[in-house]
Amino acid sequence: MTNVLIEPSTTVAVDDPGGFDFPDLAADPPDDPTSTTRHPRGDNRDDEGSDPPRGGDDEERQDRRPSRHRQRAERVLIRRAVHRSRALAAADPDDLRLLAAVLGSGVDLATLTVAALTAPRTATAALDDVLALRGMDRADQMAEVAFMERRRTLSLWTILSELGAVDGRRPTVDIVATKATVAAVAALSDATVARVERVVDLARGA
């Protein structure tokens, strides 16, 4: 048995397993590189209280600023809208009505300007068909119209009706409708063809 001093004049008997030397419990433990315990002096480099890197607010403000490319694109779009609006304002009212019918738009200047700017190039397909048919002989005209898709022939008939070249609905019999379409195209005056060309230019901003 080994006697361990606990308090003055008091001893406690403790089993001694082979004379083991107890370490000094009051001494500081050795540094452990794997330990996550923070140093009391605050020298730990992983301190969660460290300030975050600056610059985040500046980057966020820069992200909110419109880029030069976007500003340039917006100016180009506005300039195009102004030019197109001026061109439409100076156009013949009859041309504007035909353009509105082609684009499926209202005839007021603002609505028509937006429609002209956003319409696909195929919007003038029926007018293009009128001009193309005018350059063909009768046999080619018959063949061209006969092999058109139904939607295309309906659009062509609608434009011819807007031009005053046909009356009523398109005939339901294809051969009759083809002959009536070709005859209407052939009967168009030079002034009407010139009007079609002007409307095409208005739609495309030429």
Side-chain angles (χ1 to χ4, degrees), residues 76-90 113 117 205:
V76 171
L77 181 60
I78 294 172
R79 190 179 298 111
R80 286 182 56 198
V82 171
H83 289 327
R84 187 68 64 86
S85 180
R86 288 177 176 175
L88 293 176
T113 299
L117 286 171

Side-chain angles (χ1 to χ4, degrees), residues 63-77:
D63 292 341
R64 291 197 297 264
R65 296 174 183 171
S67 65
R68 291 183 178 180
H69 295 292
R70 189 172 67 183
Q71 289 177 341
R72 187 180 300 111
E74 290 174 351
R75 285 195 293 267
V76 171
L77 181 60

Side-chain angles (χ1 to χ4, degrees), residues 98 102 124-136 141 144-145 148 152-166 181-182 184-197 200 204:
L98 179 58
V102 169
T124 60
L127 298 178
D128 295 333
D129 284 338
V130 171
L131 298 177
L133 290 170
R134 285 282 296 185
M136 302 178 185
Q141 288 175 340
E144 182 71 16
V145 175
M148 283 182 181
R152 187 176 170 190
T153 59
L154 290 175
S155 297
L156 179 57
W157 187 270
T158 299
I159 291 302
L160 291 173
S161 179
E162 290 290 336
L163 295 173
V166 294
T181 300
V182 169
V185 170
L188 294 176
S189 64
D190 292 340
T192 301
V193 174
R195 180 187 175 197
V196 172
E197 292 173 343
V200 172
R204 296 177 180 174

